[in-house]
Amino acid sequence: MKFTFFTVLALICTTTVATAQIGIGTTEPTATLDVNGDVRIRAISEEIITEVAEDSVLVLSRDGRVNRISSKRIIESTLKSTVKANFATGGATISLSILSGRAIIPFDDEEFDTHEEYENTTYIYEAKQDGIYDIYAQIKASSGISVATNFGLSILKNGNVVAENSHANIGVLGVNVTPPTRNVQTLLQLSEGDLITFEIATDLLSVSLLNSDKDCFFTIQQIR
């Protein structure tokens, strides 16, 4: 028995020197140690230094390789998506030119974004996880907004309107008497890679929105 053990050990060492790879249960190893079968460890030492654990969590990848991942990333991967953004541009108002009756709202200041899913230069939210999401948006036009037959706020999923709050700006003796605030909210089922944007829908040629984080903002919260 001892002879057989040392013979196998010698063969392993020879294989290691020649190919730098060892296969157990396979004749074609693809890693330094390639085990095709169950792995059993009879004793594991307990690690008491928490700082070590932050970068020493081992996981099994899809191709069967054992890789290391930080515990922080594991925790973050289970957190639900939450985003809130508003305007960062200077000035009292944000002026938008309307093309073909619509204009994307340039929310360019993120208050928080747990999974870095919102891009504040393209104004697009891209979901990284499948799930159900609660989406809310609100805008407030400046007091000088014109009378119009249509002024509204839309939520778009992959370029298609899925929720909208739109109604006319009514004038009395040439004065707009309709409240300047629009808000819209909906629940959406999103898959990884789905895109969310927010747009103004109106027959006006231009619109000025208040540059105020309490009047103009959006929130996206994954609820499951």
Side-chain angles (χ1 to χ4, degrees):
M1 179 63 70
K2 291 184 179 179
F3 174 78
T4 303
F5 171 77
F6 286 112
T7 301
V8 171
L9 181 61
L11 288 173
I12 289 176
C13 293
T14 302
T15 304
T16 303
V17 173
T19 66
Q21 292 179 327
I22 299 173
I24 300 177
T26 176
T27 58
E28 298 181 355
T30 60
T32 303
L33 177 60
D34 189 343
V35 181
N36 181 18
D38 296 336
V39 177
R40 182 178 181 181
I41 301 175
R42 294 181 179 269
I44 299 177
S45 300
E46 181 180 357
E47 181 57 68
I48 61 174
I49 304 175
T50 56
E51 290 81 3
V52 174
E54 291 179 359
D55 263 325
S56 301
V57 179
L58 300 182
V59 296
L60 189 64
S61 64
R62 292 176 181 175
D63 63 359
R65 294 178 182 272
V66 177
N67 294 321
R68 185 176 67 179
I69 185 172
S70 71
S71 56
K72 180 181 178 181
R73 292 191 60 185
I74 293 176
I75 293 173
E76 288 178 345
S77 69
T78 62
L79 294 176
K80 292 181 172 60
S81 172
T82 51
V83 182
K84 183 179 181 181
N86 43 49
F87 295 132
T89 307
T93 60
I94 307 297
S95 297
L96 302 178
S97 297
I98 309 301
L99 300 176
S100 301
R102 309 194 71 87
I104 191 168
I105 303 174
F107 293 114
D108 57 355
D109 183 37
E110 296 173 85
E111 290 194 25
F112 49 81
D113 185 354
T114 55
H115 289 310
E116 298 183 355
E117 294 164 293
Y118 182 69
E119 177 53 62
N120 62 356
T121 58
T122 60
Y123 321 122
I124 296 174
Y125 171 89
E126 181 175 352
K128 290 185 178 179
Q129 302 181 76
D130 298 352
I132 305 297
Y133 292 74
D134 179 42
I135 303 176
Y136 176 84
Q138 177 178 302
I139 58 173
K140 185 175 182 180
S142 66
S143 59
I145 188 171
S146 303
V147 174
T149 57
N150 178 42
F151 175 61
L153 172 60
S154 306
I155 298 173
L156 289 81
K157 173 184 174 182
N158 298 327
N160 299 310
V161 176
V162 292
E164 186 172 84
N165 177 6
S166 180
H167 50 271
N169 285 327
I170 300 173
V172 177
L173 299 177
V175 177
N176 180 21
V177 296
T178 305
T181 300
R182 300 288 187 273
N183 53 59
V184 61
Q185 185 172 16
T186 189
L187 288 176
L188 286 179
Q189 182 170 350
L190 301 182
S191 300
E192 180 182 353
D194 281 343
L195 306 179
I196 297 295
T197 52
F198 303 93
E199 290 186 351
I200 287 177
T202 183
D203 54 6
L204 297 169
L205 297 179
S206 64
V207 171
S208 292
L209 302 179
L210 295 182
N211 186 6
S212 167
D213 56 9
K214 70 177 182 298
D215 294 313
C216 297
F217 62 91
F218 81 81
T219 60
I220 297 177
Q221 181 177 6
Q222 184 183 2
I223 60 176
R224 62 172 299 176

